Amino acid sequence: MTEALTAEVAVPVPIDGTLTYLVPADLRDVLEVGMRVVVPLRGKLLTGVVVALGREAPGKRKLKAIREAADERPVITPQLRRLAAWISDYYIAPLGEVLAAMSPPSAGLRRVYSLKAPPTDLEMEIIRASDPADAEVLEILADGRPRGYATLRRRIDVRDLRDRLDHLEKEGYIAHRVEAQKRRSGRVGQAPGDLSGGLAEASRPVLTPSQQAALDGIGPDLDRDSFGVSLLLGVTGSGKTEVYLRLMDRAIKSGKRAIYLVPEIGLTPQIMARVSERFGDRCALLHSRLTKAQRYITWQRILDGEVDVVVGARSAVFAPVENLGIVVVDEEHDTSYKQQESPRYNARDVAIVRAKGAGAVVVLGSATPTIESYHKALEGKYGLYELPERISGGTLPEVRVVDMRSGGASDSFSKEAEEAVRQSVGREEQVLLFLNRRGFSNYVQCRDCGLVPRCRFCYVSLTYHSGRKDLRCHYCGYTERGFEVCPKCGSANILYIGHGTQRVEDYVAEHFPEVTCARFDRDATRRKGSAETLLSDFSEGTVRFLVGTQMIAKGHDFKRVGLVVVVNADVSMNLPDFRAGERTFQILTQVAGRAGRGDIPGKVVIQTFNPEHHSLAYVTGHDFKGFYVEETAMRQELRYPPFARLVRIVVEAPRYASAESAARAVARTASRLGEKAGGKIDVVGPSRAPLSKIKNVYRWHLMIKGDAGANISGLVRKVLRTLPEGDLPERVRINVDVDPQVMI
Ligand code: ADP
Ligand code: ZN
Ligand code: ZN
């Protein structure tokens, strides 16, 4: 008796492990581990990835069969499969979801139908009478020429065409095969102007001594194929990108390949231009805003070994690059490396794990590294290289902090900012107006002394609830009454800060009608290509003022910006997040770095109600190390990363009481198991999440803190498994975020 061939398929649903399916006869010789397949599950069709093939005695259990293959060859390499297993384990995410996040779209395959056995005239008559659409299919195919699914779809207007085709196939009238869509010959994802030879070596700049030191330090690891992580700490414009390019060049020359991660899709065109100038057409761009077909083609090119350098945002860390020599993570501190939905991975950390498996080198670059990365560098776990000066020799911009408490020229502009703008306009420079808008901003501030009330246990700012008029800590649940007069200075001039400052553009239009002003934010750049157009207009100077949020703070190399005004620095200071100080330092330093990059001196004006905030002094002094020292003292005392590890658990439910009781059950179980494990495990909370209700779903959260070395993922997995079923009300969702970056 022959055994049946089976496949273990990881499907993107919240289950542990894989599901077993029968491999149908027509796939027996085709199917390989790493290919995607379409499988039935609970009445639906899902696409999953084959992670193993096996055999078992037929009839041993009732198994469903794979419907069809979605790829013509494996798209998940063995190395990526191992990486997926690690991600699934560490971030507590279903393997199928991880693999789905890794995979390219399967737009490259199409089903082609042809007539197999034409119906007799009588059969045709019956079919026509009962199912006209089925008859149409048969008529279209009657000439013997195969037709793709899309063609049939266009000509036959029924909802359930796919089911009908399956049915006709089962009855033996038609047959289908799956074929690869033709690879269009045009290249995608390349900068215009093909310099296939790459830039002549002679015309590359001579490295500065500190660039050379980084190259000499990191290079030997590359040559030895040994894993290592290095942190490149360099102010903006100090030549980090040049170091990345040299290292990648060195890797490529010895037959290896590179992945170059950037935080924002908006940054990829300019990086891509520099990369393809250097490496010719053996580069590819990979990010989620490409069309499916573009991503598919790029993925295939990489699998075919035609690509030496992959440039991309977060998910490019999964590019199926063989022979990986180096991964560059530019702006390593950027929170967009962390995915905010399952699998909640951090591409920077995944890059490190991937490189370890591949014997590759990782270079993390930033002017404002995370406290965690710099800490590891000081401990000697990472190499540390510094580029202390701007290449242009230009000085760092002068940073002025303006105290808004003394009353401004208007609601959003101080006299000093207005004067600075006027001077800049007079000198024909460009101006960036930065709105620090991201995040959650319901807080209370004294207009006279700048006080923002904070939790005495967690140090995060308290969130104001206008309904109950109370102030609440969203980590531990501590609550105090809202106040009418400031507890510090007695002023009754209290500011309730809500969302959004939209007045800046109007302000500019009113006071500086002669200059062109554009806005750069998600709304203005959602359309494909519009971000690029806006940026190039600004680079070329046709737009004089640019108003924007976070997105203008990142990496752009504008040469004519003389002035940056930070309209409202306080929003990030008052995030209900222990990283508020770090975020403030990073964002203000980054945005300040946009000023004075060319040969004009830069000036930065930061407007704030809280000029004493510890981050500001270090921004003014361009002093990352000073900031690090002060910030780590706080982190150590309160047991926050890097001195502890965190897992955040968000419990969501359509009923408030369900969310609360489930969160309490999770917290109880975690405390109990944490005690048993004997490690240093703290459970903080539960409490209402800062965003306590989204789309009619109530949210509670809690935080589990463990020692830096503790296996806290393991503990949380155990907690989820042992949660007493009875304790969990229906329709409760539990989201686990390991190493959370966002706490709202
Ligand atoms: P960063 O990535 O740190 O912002 P870049 O690598 O973009 O800095 O360098 C800033 C500018 O200086 C770029 O225009 C770059 O071409 C140029 N540059 C980099 N290294 C050198 C060098 N050693 N000599 C001359 N110019 C350089
Ligand atoms: Zn006060
Ligand atoms: Zn608290």
Side-chain angles (χ1 to χ4, degrees), residues 507-518:
Y507 170 87
V508 172
E510 189 182 318
H511 289 76
F512 302 97
E514 70 279 15
V515 298
T516 47
C517 177

Side-chain angles (χ1 to χ4, degrees), residues 328-363:
V328 170
V329 185
D330 194 22
E331 313 287 359
E332 69 90 22
H333 63 277
D334 200 294
T335 49
S336 47
Y337 283 124
K338 183 82 155 82
Q339 175 149 299
Q340 297 303 339
E341 60 198 52
S342 182
R344 294 183 167 78
Y345 68 92
N346 187 325
R348 177 199 59 204
D349 300 331
V350 169
I352 292 172
V353 172
R354 181 170 179 182
K356 195 168 186 182
V361 159
V362 178
V363 181

Side-chain angles (χ1 to χ4, degrees), residues 115-183:
L115 203 61
K116 191 172 161 202
T120 62
D121 290 350
L122 179 63
E123 283 170 343
M124 196 61 189
E125 218 168 286
I126 296 169
I127 295 171
R128 214 175 266 132
S130 54
D131 293 292
D134 287 16
E136 262 185 90
V137 172
L138 294 170
E139 277 158 10
I140 293 171
L141 296 177
D143 63 4
R145 216 149 52 79
R147 303 288 198 301
Y149 178 77
T151 310
L152 296 174
R153 175 83 271 179
R154 265 198 305 280
R155 295 180 53 181
I156 303 170
D157 186 27
V158 284
R159 274 253 215 75
D160 56 347
L161 180 63
R162 183 59 197 275
D163 285 345
R164 284 169 188 272
L165 291 168
D166 284 355
H167 197 68
L168 285 170
E169 188 158 6
K170 232 188 232 146
E171 290 177 329
Y173 293 122
I174 65 170
H176 86 272
R177 65 195 146 78
V178 176
E179 67 178 35
Q181 295 208 356
K182 281 191 205 83
R183 251 174 81 173

Side-chain angles (χ1 to χ4, degrees), residues 455 457-458 473 475-478:
C455 174
F457 307 108
C458 309
C473 169
Y475 282 13
C476 71
Y478 166 77

Side-chain angles (χ1 to χ4, degrees), residues 205-208 211 234-244 274 330 387 391-392 557 559 597:
V206 178
L207 296 183
T208 62
Q211 283 176 321
V235 296
T236 46
S238 62
K240 295 188 292 297
T241 308
E242 185 62 34
V243 173
Y244 307 150
R274 280 178 79 176
D330 194 22
L387 307 178
I391 293 286
S392 58
D557 196 7
K559 301 274 193 247
R597 287 171 75 86

Side-chain angles (χ1 to χ4, degrees), residues 34 51 60 115 125 139 142 204 278 284 303 361 392 505 548 606 631:
V51 296
K60 187 178 148 227
L115 203 61
E125 218 168 286
E139 277 158 10
R204 297 177 188 177
R278 198 62 65 93
L303 281 172
V361 159
S392 58
E505 226 182 337
I606 298 177
E631 184 72 16

Side-chain angles (χ1 to χ4, degrees), residues 76-121:
I76 303 290
T77 63
Q79 205 185 75
L80 288 178
R81 236 161 40 230
R82 281 192 296 277
L83 190 65
W86 179 83
I87 292 172
S88 167
D89 188 57
Y90 182 83
Y91 291 104
I92 316 183
L95 183 62
E97 273 181 11
V98 177
L99 288 166
M102 276 186 170
S103 308
S106 47
L109 291 182
R110 60 184 206 137
R111 297 166 72 99
V112 178
Y113 289 88
S114 57
L115 203 61
K116 191 172 161 202
T120 62
D121 290 350

